[in-house]
Amino acid sequence: MNTLQPNQVKEMRTDGGHVLISWIKAHLTQISEWFWFCCSFLLFLALGPFSAVVVLLGLKSLGSEEQRQEMIEPARL
């Protein structure tokens, strides 16, 4: 992991941010990779419990009496 040296920080302050912009351009793939990882992880955490509700409703509908009457079990061998 690269860290900024004190002289690089000083260059950023005196350079008007041009070094920072060039650093971002050089590391854009790593930044975008971390962005998408964090975004997908947060969506997984936020929507994960709600998917369990859908599964439970689906299992309940499969186990209903109407569905059981329509199901045909295969013959034994």
Side-chain angles (χ1 to χ4, degrees):
M1 185 165 140
N2 295 337
T3 58
L4 296 174
Q5 302 298 327
N7 60 352
Q8 290 176 331
V9 175
K10 185 184 276 186
E11 285 178 16
M12 281 185 227
R13 290 184 187 143
T14 60
D15 195 9
H18 294 294
V19 175
L20 179 63
I21 293 170
S22 63
W23 183 85
I24 290 174
K25 285 181 181 178
H27 295 88
L28 190 60
T29 56
Q30 292 173 342
I31 293 169
S32 65
E33 188 174 316
W34 277 104
F35 168 77
W36 286 114
F37 170 76
C38 292
C39 183
S40 61
F41 183 70
L42 290 174
L43 285 173
F44 171 75
L45 289 178
L47 299 175
F50 296 109
S51 63
V53 172
V54 174
V55 169
L56 291 175
L57 290 174
L59 288 175
K60 183 179 182 230
S61 70
L62 284 175
S64 69
E65 192 64 35
E66 294 174 359
Q67 289 284 13
R68 282 189 210 162
Q69 291 174 358
E70 293 177 9
M71 289 184 192
I72 301 171
E73 293 188 22
R76 292 187 178 196
L77 295 177

